[in-house]
Amino acid sequence: MQKEKEEQLQRVNAICRHPLWQTSRKRIEELEQDRVFCGHDVIHFLDVARLAWIENLEQQLGLEKEHVYAAALLHDIGRHLQYEQGIPHEEGSVMLAGEILRDCGFSDAECLKICDAIAGHRAKKTGKDGGLAGALYRADKASRMCLFCAADAECNWPEEKKNREVRI
Ligand SMILES: [Fe+2]
Ligand SMILES: [Fe+2]
């Protein structure tokens, strides 16, 4: 059990050490330096991971912890490709995630599952999914703290989507 936990920790941390993940994260940081709206930084990635994991525990979804963390750490990693090349960032993130996941020891089946979740993280229908994709989608939306946001008035999120209350 302990060994299994350590192996999971290693694969998740290998993602954060991967050169492609690191250079992408830094590029996003540079490009979002003056952004007033929600950013796509490592705090967001980890908020999403933890919220998705909490939902998994509360709703007993039966997800693998490292799949939740891997999907969250990678779901917006292609954001710079959207800024620089106009590639929708869920597609850009999948392009980068495949290579990173394989290099970090995830199997083809795991890559497919995680990349599917990333690919669907902006599609409304994913919100109803009961697996990894749905948990990622809901955590992504729930992670945004609209009630404390200084750019609220300029934000184009529909009012019904905005998080106006602390949810427990
Ligand atoms: Fe996103
Ligand atoms: Fe996100």
Side-chain angles (χ1 to χ4, degrees), residues 22-143:
Q22 289 193 352
T23 52
S24 295
R25 188 187 72 74
K26 281 188 196 128
R27 190 69 193 127
I28 296 166
E29 191 175 84
E30 286 163 10
L31 291 163
E32 291 192 339
Q33 215 165 20
D34 300 319
R35 183 179 163 89
V36 294
F37 303 111
C38 293
H40 302 83
D41 56 9
V42 74
I43 294 178
H44 172 58
F45 300 166
L46 289 173
D47 282 347
V48 172
R50 289 164 180 153
L51 285 166
W53 186 245
I54 289 168
E55 189 195 343
N56 173 66
L57 295 177
E58 288 185 345
Q59 305 299 327
Q60 298 174 3
L61 301 180
L63 304 178
E64 297 281 341
K65 195 172 196 179
E66 61 175 346
H67 294 171
V68 169
Y69 272 75
L73 285 166
L74 291 163
H75 80 286
D76 283 336
I77 203 65
R79 187 81 194 186
H80 59 103
L81 299 175
Q82 183 166 326
Y83 294 135
E84 296 185 303
Q85 297 176 41
I87 298 170
H89 77 264
E90 69 277 26
E91 288 174 28
S93 297
V94 167
M95 283 157 53
L96 301 172
E99 182 181 335
I100 296 171
L101 288 165
R102 271 187 297 275
D103 287 350
C104 296
F106 289 83
S107 69
D108 287 349
E110 289 177 308
C111 286
L112 199 63
K113 190 179 185 173
I114 295 164
C115 286
D116 266 358
I118 295 170
H121 89 265
R122 295 173 78 194
K124 203 174 173 188
K125 64 176 185 191
T126 309
K128 295 194 172 29
D129 177 81
L132 178 65
L136 178 70
Y137 177 95
R138 290 184 292 276
D140 191 29
K141 301 289 167 287
S143 72

